[in-house]
Amino acid sequence: MNERMNNLTFSGHDTVDLASRYGTPLYVMSEDIVAKRISDLKTAFESTGIQYGINYAGKSFTTMAMCRIVDGLGISLDVVSQGEIMTALKAGFDPKRIYFHGSNKQPGEIRYAIEKGIGHIIIDSDYELDLINRIATEMGHEVRVLFRVSPGIEAHTHELIETGTLDSKFGVPLNQAEDTILKTREMPAIQVDGLHCHIGSQVVDEQPFVLAGDAMLGLYKKLVEAGFHLEELNLGGGFGIPYLQGDESFDVLKYIPKMVAHLKKRFAAEGIAMPRITVEPGRYISAEAGVTLYTVGTVKDIPGLRKYVSVDGGMNDNPRPALYGAEYEAFICNGKDDERMEKVTVSGRACENDTLIESVELNAPEAGDILMVTNTGAYNYTMSSNYNRYPRPAVVLLSGDRSGVIVERETNEDVLRYDRIPDWMKGLTSCLTFHLQAC
Ligand code: LLP
């Protein structure tokens, strides 16, 4: 018999204690890890000596507390909806440091963003340029904008999250962008500050960014020559993280200096002043900062075939395996006397196959164990759902030795909150009554 193992810790906290204190399923986020990622990004840029910007992509994980952390660390925020803007503003985020994205922004959202003094709106299409110009003119405001351009670069990533190619709903195609942007010369309400592109997610080296930068440089140069006072080139997000041990990932300290060195050389060769280079990572900052804790329930052994280990969450709190075939690692958190690793399938409780992890080695999983899935800080909470009418988990933030709830656990009543019975059903108590009356 082995010695009793200790409970697993995450960011210095005993995960079993967290589960018993806050319940499961539970999202846990570490402020210390978020801060470390942001600090590494800053270090990488500082070493290059250029003007730079870091915008946290809020779509990967946004709550008021997260906005406070990001604000406190002095970086900017990329948002894609009025809901994300409201979250940031309610947390006290400086609107001037917010970039408003979205491929089909609604007129009401645009008005709201302008009214609140959002620093930059990223224009995604010709149609949107006209819409924003009309709204800004009506409101008597000047808006500062970047243009999102699809540069036709293919990042080596899952095709469903490839967004920088020409065949994409996002951005103005590179070959049409000049004409679109030149139209702003007749639009006093639109101040063009720069260009933006986003080539995809889970990029693991600098090469796709270098290619995208080169593609954008040509357009940038034409616009400068046409008299535009551009100051920013935003190369988007997409820095890859290692979901599984041994996965390749984007080493910011290595690749950002390489990417910047290349751009410096290219801008100098073209005789154009080096713009501020901005990046927009979401996953890189939030993914490894989060884990999800579950309680194991049913364990079903089908001899010779497979062992299913079911947990009290699943595709409701992490739809990524179902949507993208995303892979995760998991561990039993509670210490055990005996180490008996078994290959199992981890399933969620949703009423379909709901496979969270197809194959993982766990230590003698049994009902009541606490299971931790790692690297769930990005695109889990923000993509969660109430499928099967399950309430969403709570989110707990760890900061040093402190822990506290930053999003309350939903209740069944919360899930029912917006249900209404229409007038014509009122007073009818059963299907039987309904059918009798219908006759
Ligand atoms: N900037 C823009 C304009 C974006 O569209 C995105 C992601 C980012 C930045 C941040 O990308 P990141 O650094 O987080 O990879 N739900 C998918 C990811 C969709 C990403 C959409 N845009 C997933 O779970 O993998």
Side-chain angles (χ1 to χ4, degrees), residues 160-424:
L160 292 181
I161 48 179
E162 222 170 65
T163 47
T165 57
L166 285 178
D167 183 7
S168 163
K169 74 164 183 168
F170 296 101
V172 186
L174 186 58
N175 54 6
Q176 295 165 25
E178 189 183 357
D179 288 347
T180 300
I181 298 170
L182 286 178
K183 281 169 52 178
T184 63
R185 291 202 281 205
E186 316 302 321
M187 298 178 174
I190 303 289
Q191 157 78 43
V192 186
D193 279 350
L195 299 177
H196 170 282
C197 66
H198 172 76
I199 50 174
S201 287
Q202 280 295 89
V203 179
V204 294
D205 62 47
E206 86 288 6
Q207 209 46 36
F209 291 103
V210 161
L211 293 176
D214 282 351
M216 299 292 281
L217 176 61
L219 173 63
Y220 196 97
K221 185 177 180 197
K222 282 186 200 157
L223 294 169
V224 170
E225 284 169 356
F228 282 82
H229 298 289
L230 303 185
E231 54 190 44
E232 176 167 352
L233 176 58
N234 184 326
L235 292 174
F239 302 162
I241 68 112
Y243 278 101
L244 305 180
Q245 274 172 41
D247 275 1
E248 273 186 285
S249 60
F250 191 91
D251 180 343
V252 297
L253 296 168
K254 180 167 160 197
Y255 295 129
I256 285 178
K258 274 185 157 181
M259 177 173 113
V260 171
H262 175 84
L263 289 170
K264 262 182 172 171
K265 213 162 60 195
R266 290 297 316 275
F267 274 87
E270 298 292 344
I272 313 170
M274 180 76 173
R276 178 169 70 247
I277 300 294
T278 306
V279 290
E280 258 170 9
R283 188 185 324 260
Y284 175 79
I285 291 171
S286 59
E288 292 166 280
V291 298
T292 309
L293 301 179
Y294 301 99
T295 302
V296 172
T298 305
V299 175
K300 174 179 174 180
D301 192 11
I302 312 173
L305 209 56
R306 180 196 295 273
K307 190 179 253 191
Y308 284 99
V309 173
S310 288
V311 294
D312 53 354
M315 65 190 296
N316 288 84
D317 54 79
N318 184 359
R320 299 191 71 257
L323 275 175
Y324 315 120
E327 293 181 283
Y328 286 89
E329 286 187 351
F331 306 87
I332 297 290
C333 298
N334 40 297
K336 296 197 173 194
D337 296 336
D338 191 6
E339 210 169 315
R340 277 179 292 117
M341 300 307 278
E342 295 175 55
K343 201 168 257 186
V344 301
T345 293
V346 177
S347 299
R349 63 175 168 165
C351 206
E352 45 186 290
N353 282 334
D354 194 2
T355 300
L356 261 186
I357 307 179
E358 179 71 31
S359 176
V360 62
E361 291 220 338
L362 293 180
N363 189 4
E366 57 193 336
D369 283 347
I370 301 300
L371 182 106
M372 169 167 77
V373 176
T374 49
N375 299 327
T376 58
Y379 304 109
N380 273 226
Y381 164 70
T382 50
M383 292 176 75
S384 60
S385 79
N386 289 125
Y387 180 48
N388 292 162
R389 299 232 123 178
Y390 286 124
R392 288 184 177 82
V395 187
V396 161
L397 181 71
L398 311 178
S399 179
D401 57 7
R402 289 168 299 193
S403 70
V405 171
I406 58 168
V407 181
E408 293 282 348
R409 182 177 299 285
E410 279 180 355
T411 62
N412 285 308
E413 286 70 31
D414 290 331
V415 177
L416 283 171
R417 195 159 40 135
Y418 295 111
D419 274 33
R420 300 290 180 267
I421 301 287
D423 285 347
W424 69 86

